[in-house]
Amino acid sequence: AITDFYPEDFRYIRQLYGLSCIKNFQVVAVLRKIHQIYNAVGTHNFLISPRDFAHIFPDVSPEEVEAKLKSTLLIIRKDFELDSGSNYPPLVFRPRSMFTKGRPILFIDEIHRFNKSQQDSLLGAVENGTVTLIGATTENPSFEVIRPLLSRAQVYVLKPLDDSDLLTLLDRAITTDNVFKDREVRIEQTDALLRFSGGDARKLLNILDLIYQSLGATEAMVINNEIVTSRLQENPIAFDKGGEMHYDIISAFIKSIRGSDPDAAVYWLARLIAGGEDPKFIARRMCISAAEDIGLANPNALLLANATFDIVNKIGWPEGRIPLSECAIYLATSPKSNSAYLAIDRALQLVHETGDAAVPLHLRNAPTKLMSDLGYGDGYKYAHDYPRHFVLQQYLPDNLIGTRVWAAQDTPAEARLAERMRELWGIRDDKENL
């Protein structure tokens, strides 16, 4: 059995470490070990085990170690109370675990199916070492496992098997399995078998079993691309709309658009469509890309993306794939600029840093006489009353005068916008205060 003690039990015991008046070797050794454990883990969930003290009480069973440890600690407690005159609550001993033989392994398959509360319930047992938790999941643990549990775990990524591994497994199954080794098996082609297996050993074996189940009692088992394809009635595309593959493929799609590669963009679009992705989700992501990655370099991109979203809602599948493809190609081939994206983020950061700066009086609305008397709106210049519908005027708060948030990037469309700003406002350094 393993014994737990609480941090408050050691607040005073730990103070005895190093006192020259303690002559008993075993008492000093116990105090030293407690001191080491305390320094290693601090007060958070401070636990000790008889195993930590086995070297102090050699040649005895774990049960005897625990008994001696309890006895030693109680002696220390009693002596210290007498010396200090303090009245501490009784020293508490309790079993840490219901298990008496080592630390059991708790294996949870598809741990992502546990909700937050269920995962929370595992924390105590994992943290104090009651169990060794092994969780298996086909999803990204960053999304599916709560952060406190993930921070106490080591993550191992199991990658798909390559073709040589799958072929080795295929050969082993055919030559050693009791069912297959007594049947004539001819492997003519493996391309479809490997493609549909997708690096998954279990799926490869399931495909073999499916082919076997379709055979007659004495019929030879032939494996080729045609037979494998005809036996599989399911969609072989590896795509889970709620899983990591979903995020990986949409990420590749958007990054291909951003990288101006129309071929890759349409390929990843096809992967999304073949995997059963919601067309509205695809269209929404293209609207975001049009604003974030293309922006002012080609404002028509956002109009087309929005129109694509509307038309896909109207016509549905399968024709909806056509406007999606048109929009993806247009976005990928458009000039790129993220100046609007950077500008709003800079402005938000500026608001965070400067707080609620006062609106200049001349920009304030004056719907009442009192506000008008207070000077609200005084001195405001109506731009349309001036040539070219522009007049020099302060628009930023007083403490932000001269601050720049938006800077044109090196695209023809934005160069024209930047030139117009220079004509209106005079010479301005586009990088100033950015």
Side-chain angles (χ1 to χ4, degrees):
I2 298 172
T3 300
D4 288 356
F5 307 99
Y6 297 94
E8 56 267 25
D9 299 328
F10 291 99
R11 256 182 235 143
Y12 59 91
I13 290 179
R14 194 166 166 268
Q15 296 173 25
L16 299 177
Y17 175 67
L19 293 182
S20 59
C21 60
I22 301 177
K23 303 300 183 182
N24 186 300
F25 166 76
Q26 288 185 335
V27 171
V28 173
V30 168
L31 289 172
R32 181 186 298 113
K33 189 63 180 180
I34 291 173
H35 184 76
Q36 291 171 349
I37 297 173
Y38 188 95
N39 284 340
V41 301
T43 59
H44 181 62
N45 216 5
F46 180 68
L47 306 172
I48 65 173
S49 163
R51 289 193 296 268
D52 298 326
F53 300 85
H55 66 288
I56 301 173
F57 308 102
D59 303 323
V60 295
S61 67
E63 291 77 13
E64 292 175 302
V65 170
E66 181 170 4
K68 288 179 178 293
L69 178 59
K70 288 182 178 181
S71 175
T72 303
L73 290 172
L74 288 172
I75 291 172
I76 296 171
R77 172 63 176 269
K78 181 180 178 181
D79 290 345
F80 184 68
E81 283 185 343
L82 291 174
D83 291 341
S84 66
S86 300
N87 183 20
Y88 291 97
L91 187 62
V92 178
F93 301 91
R94 67 177 177 85
R96 183 203 301 182
S97 172
M98 69 181 76
F99 307 101
T100 58
K101 293 185 178 180
R103 181 184 299 177
I105 293 175
L106 174 62
F107 178 80
I108 302 178
D109 193 17
E110 297 189 358
I111 194 172
H112 59 273
R113 296 188 183 277
F114 275 37
N115 61 32
K116 183 180 183 298
S117 296
Q118 291 169 325
Q119 292 185 34
D120 278 335
S121 68
L122 299 171
L123 280 175
V126 171
E127 196 168 28
N128 63 30
T130 301
V131 297
T132 298
L133 174 65
I134 300 178
T137 175
T138 55
E139 308 300 333
N140 189 325
S142 299
F143 301 136
E144 304 296 340
V145 179
I146 61 174
R147 185 172 299 177
L149 191 58
L150 195 62
S151 68
R152 290 161 174 79
Q154 176 67 47
V155 177
Y156 296 93
V157 179
L158 303 182
K159 298 182 179 180
L161 299 176
D162 58 31
D163 289 352
S164 62
D165 294 327
L166 292 175
L167 292 174
T168 299
L169 181 65
L170 174 62
D171 180 70
R172 185 183 303 160
I174 291 172
T175 57
T176 62
D177 186 89
N178 291 332
V179 174
F180 293 139
K181 69 180 183 180
D182 296 330
R183 167 88 61 160
E184 180 186 356
V185 179
R186 297 200 305 270
I187 301 177
E188 298 176 353
Q189 298 167 318
T190 59
D191 293 342
L193 180 63
L194 296 175
R195 184 171 73 254
F196 292 140
S197 297
D200 189 331
R202 180 169 56 180
K203 194 162 188 179
L204 180 139
L205 296 176
N206 286 339
I207 294 173
L208 288 181
D209 183 65
L210 183 63
I211 296 174
Y212 175 81
Q213 296 296 334
S214 67
L215 300 176
T218 60
E219 187 178 355
M221 183 173 175
V222 179
I223 299 175
N224 58 38
N225 295 341
E226 181 181 356
I227 290 176
V228 170
T229 303
S230 65
R231 297 293 185 273
L232 289 176
Q233 302 300 317
E234 62 183 275
N235 185 353
I237 300 297
F239 185 87
D240 180 359
K241 287 189 286 185
E244 181 178 5
M245 186 68 74
H246 160 85
Y247 296 101
D248 288 344
I249 293 180
I250 195 65
S251 175
F253 174 57
I254 296 302
K255 288 174 181 174
S256 298
I257 290 175
R258 182 181 300 140
S260 300
D261 189 336
D263 301 307
V266 175
Y267 168 78
W268 293 117
L269 172 63
R271 286 284 299 274
L272 291 167
I273 294 172
E277 184 56 84
D278 182 355
K280 290 184 289 186
F281 172 78
I282 302 173
R284 280 197 301 270
R285 292 306 299 263
M286 287 200 289
C287 288
I288 297 170
S289 177
E292 177 181 344
D293 298 318
I294 298 169
L296 296 171
N298 181 9
N300 287 330
L302 185 56
L303 300 177
L304 181 61
N306 186 61
T308 300
F309 181 86
D310 290 338
I311 197 66
V312 166
N313 276 302
K314 291 176 182 176
I315 66 177
W317 291 128
E319 291 80 4
R321 74 191 192 282
I322 304 171
L324 287 174
S325 176
E326 177 184 350
C327 184
I329 294 170
Y330 185 83
L331 298 185
T333 55
S334 289
K336 304 298 189 294
S337 169
N338 66 342
S339 66
Y341 168 77
L342 294 177
I344 186 59
D345 281 356
R346 290 190 189 110
L348 288 170
Q349 181 63 28
L350 192 62
V351 170
H352 176 73
E353 293 172 352
T354 60
D356 297 329
V359 178
L361 280 177
H362 67 281
L363 296 182
R364 299 187 189 185
N365 189 29
T368 68
K369 183 178 184 302
L370 174 62
M371 290 180 176
S372 179
D373 292 343
L374 292 174
Y376 284 27
D378 284 356
Y380 171 66
K381 301 174 182 178
Y382 187 56
H384 297 297
D385 290 340
Y386 295 85
R388 304 176 66 187
H389 304 272
F390 175 80
V391 60
L392 287 173
Q393 185 171 219
Q394 175 190 343
Y395 291 100
L396 282 169
D398 293 342
N399 61 328
L400 296 177
I401 291 176
T403 301
R404 300 295 309 283
V405 173
W406 174 74
Q409 295 182 352
D410 54 351
T411 64
E414 288 192 72
R416 291 192 294 271
L417 297 177
E419 179 59 29
R420 171 171 166 75
M421 290 299 99
R422 281 191 290 270
E423 290 176 1
L424 296 177
W425 290 93
I427 302 300
R428 290 163 31 128
D429 181 1
D430 282 345
K431 303 301 181 184
E432 181 185 359
N433 293 326
L434 294 180

